Amino acid sequence: MTARAANARRAAVLGSPIAHSLSPVLHRTAYQELGLTGWTYDRFEVDEAALPGFFAELGPEWAGLSLTMPLKRAVIPLLDEVSETARSVEAVNTVVLTEDGRRIGDNTDIPGMVAALRERGIEQVDSAAILGAGATASSALAALARVCTGEVVAYVRSEARAAEMRQWGERLDVEVRTADWADAAGALRAPLVIATTPAGTTDALATAVPERPATLFDVLYEPWPTELAARWSMFGGAVVSGLDLLVHQAVLQVEQMTGRAPAPLDAMRKAGEHALAER
């Protein structure tokens, strides 16, 4: 056991809104399974304006922070070091606070997506489609840079969003073609479809699911299943859920913050499923 793990340490998730976050359930389960009895993990409602003040109050007992919206970009100027993965999408969801006082930022969403796909046997695809063009879509593109060997078609609602996705493609070295959201039903025939849109946005596409769908990665986990995911499963397609993503990225966070590996993936997933079922 490392000296860090032996001492009482603190970690937390920050964001706004934050009350819905499953991160405390996942991280606390990991601590219990790893025997880290002195560790605590909380949630704090923190917006962009309050973030510098929160950082200023962090003491030596703090080991790490998980960040959700709207803090993933706002935190970057407050850090001493940012990983190449996080810089690639200008988004940090993990901060490790070292014993010598350094603040190191990383992005575990991207490798978390890759790990969630690999868990379902998706190692490589020759093309893919993304539904949506927000912050999660850029992370999806970064994940596809590691998985997809060919073209990615992004279905978006405006030319401004289309231009953003093409720019992300250039930056991440992914071949991106954009298409209008009105044609989004065409996305569903791709070998891999990643839905990055808010709840309800893809409901109307459920009736367009093909008879033999391939793989759908829907980043939502509540409400679950989405209408699209339910129809996809009904037709025998493989479905990767937002909970899969949340658990895999949390596993990486736990390992970075505690210095202990492997983190207990199965126990964390079961705890997340239980917490969602109780809501």
Side-chain angles (χ1 to χ4, degrees), residues 64-112:
L65 299 168
S66 308
L67 301 172
T68 185
M69 299 304 291
L71 305 179
K72 294 183 179 183
R73 188 162 294 174
V75 74
I76 293 176
L78 304 175
L79 303 175
D80 298 303
E81 182 181 329
V82 177
S83 73
E84 184 177 339
T85 300
R87 285 207 180 279
S88 73
V89 291
E90 296 179 8
V92 166
N93 78 326
T94 307
V95 177
V96 174
L97 304 162
T98 67
E99 292 177 354
D100 61 0
R102 290 175 58 78
R103 302 164 175 175
I104 301 173
D106 194 14
N107 186 308
T108 63
D109 286 331
I110 295 165

Side-chain angles (χ1 to χ4, degrees), residues 105-195:
D106 194 14
N107 186 308
T108 63
D109 286 331
I110 295 165
M113 282 186 176
V114 174
L117 286 167
R118 285 177 175 163
E119 187 179 37
R120 294 294 193 278
I122 309 300
E123 297 279 348
Q124 190 176 90
V125 292
D126 57 14
S127 63
I130 295 178
L131 299 173
T136 306
S138 61
S139 291
L141 269 182
L144 288 172
R146 307 181 184 189
V147 174
C148 184
T149 60
E151 182 182 70
V152 176
V153 184
Y155 291 80
V156 300
R157 293 187 182 278
S158 70
E159 178 51 37
R161 289 292 198 180
E164 285 180 12
M165 289 299 284
R166 290 193 293 268
Q167 289 171 0
W168 279 118
E170 290 178 9
R171 179 168 178 170
L172 295 163
D173 197 24
V174 178
E175 182 184 349
V176 174
R177 177 167 62 87
T178 54
D180 192 272
W181 184 263
D183 301 320
L188 308 186
R189 299 187 181 279
L192 171 60
V193 182
I194 304 182

Side-chain angles (χ1 to χ4, degrees), residues 10 14 53-62 64-65 95 97 103:
R10 294 187 69 182
L14 315 181
F54 189 94
F55 265 67
E57 297 296 322
L58 294 173
E61 74 278 11
W62 282 90
L65 299 168
V95 177
L97 304 162
R103 302 164 175 175

Side-chain angles (χ1 to χ4, degrees), residues 195-202 218-224 226 240-243:
T196 69
T197 52
T201 307
T202 61
D218 196 324
V219 303
L220 293 173
Y221 62 82
E222 191 176 22
W224 188 263
T226 62
V240 185
S241 75
L243 182 60

